[in-house]
Amino acid sequence: MSDRQTLEVYTEAAQAYADGFARADDSFHDPDFEAFTSLLPAGARILDLGCGPGHWAARFKAKGFEVSAMDASAGMAALAKSDFGIDVEVAAFEALESGNGFDGVWANFSLLHAPRADLPGHLARIHRALNPGGIFHIGMKLGDSEGRDKLGRFYAYYSEDELKNLLKDAGFSVTRSRRGNGQGLAGGVETYVILTAHG
């Protein structure tokens, strides 16, 4: 994510976001966390891509995994460091390099801020950053358009089938999907999909 307006919103709302999500009872995503981590070997290398305030990275670390974290928002990175001791690489999705040797990549509602035209390239980069057979988790909101929410953040929406086809084109095999409804920072309730895939 490198959209300046979106980053400015997250910088201004970083503390409110952390209070509402990172420090809240996020148990409704526990099945997704377990589905992802259960497929990884002990001590696996995980990248939390678009880590926000670091709460998921902290959970991976507490479970004994080797964790790297990346986010384009310096404000979010600062919170991840102060609240959880997570060192975050402040960088856009495009900075992800091939051959990183990750066993798993967790992109939980982060890639939805990338333009639709850019998503195939991001998925290809993630596939190249994973070890063969590596595990990829992606959370996205369902829809068929792109644009800004009332806070000014840029979003791209997809159907579940469209996402599955994009993942297949990037070399992934989807093994799990789950839909749900959640309330975000802007206050609205939206339908989302969680996909787990093998590289």
Side-chain angles (χ1 to χ4, degrees), residues 141 150 182-190:
K141 294 182 180 181
K150 68 180 185 180
Q183 184 174 3
L185 187 64
V189 175
E190 295 179 281

Side-chain angles (χ1 to χ4, degrees), residues 33-118:
F33 179 86
E34 294 301 329
F36 177 71
T37 56
S38 68
L39 297 171
L40 296 170
R45 294 189 66 228
I46 296 174
L47 171 65
D48 189 347
L49 183 63
C51 66
H55 53 303
W56 290 113
R59 285 188 66 175
F60 293 132
K61 190 174 180 180
K63 204 171 175 70
F65 296 114
E66 181 183 338
V67 182
S68 297
M70 180 185 293
D71 199 281
S73 168
M76 290 292 189
L79 281 176
K81 180 65 174 178
S82 64
D83 289 358
F84 300 107
I86 301 295
D87 292 314
V88 178
E89 178 185 358
V90 179
F93 299 132
E94 291 82 358
L96 183 60
E97 297 180 354
S98 303
N100 289 103
F102 292 114
D103 300 300
V105 172
W106 174 269
N108 201 52
F109 301 102
S110 55
L111 287 166
L112 43 64
H113 292 303
R116 289 172 62 89
D118 293 349

Side-chain angles (χ1 to χ4, degrees), residues 9 13 15 26 29 50 60 64 68-69 81 87 91 105 109 116 123 127 131 137-138 140 149 166 168:
V9 172
Q15 190 64 61
D26 202 5
H29 282 304
F60 293 132
S68 297
K81 180 65 174 178
D87 292 314
V105 172
F109 301 102
R116 289 172 62 89
L123 295 178
H127 191 271
N131 287 326
H137 161 104
I138 180 172
M140 302 285 274
D149 68 3
L166 286 167
K168 182 179 178 181

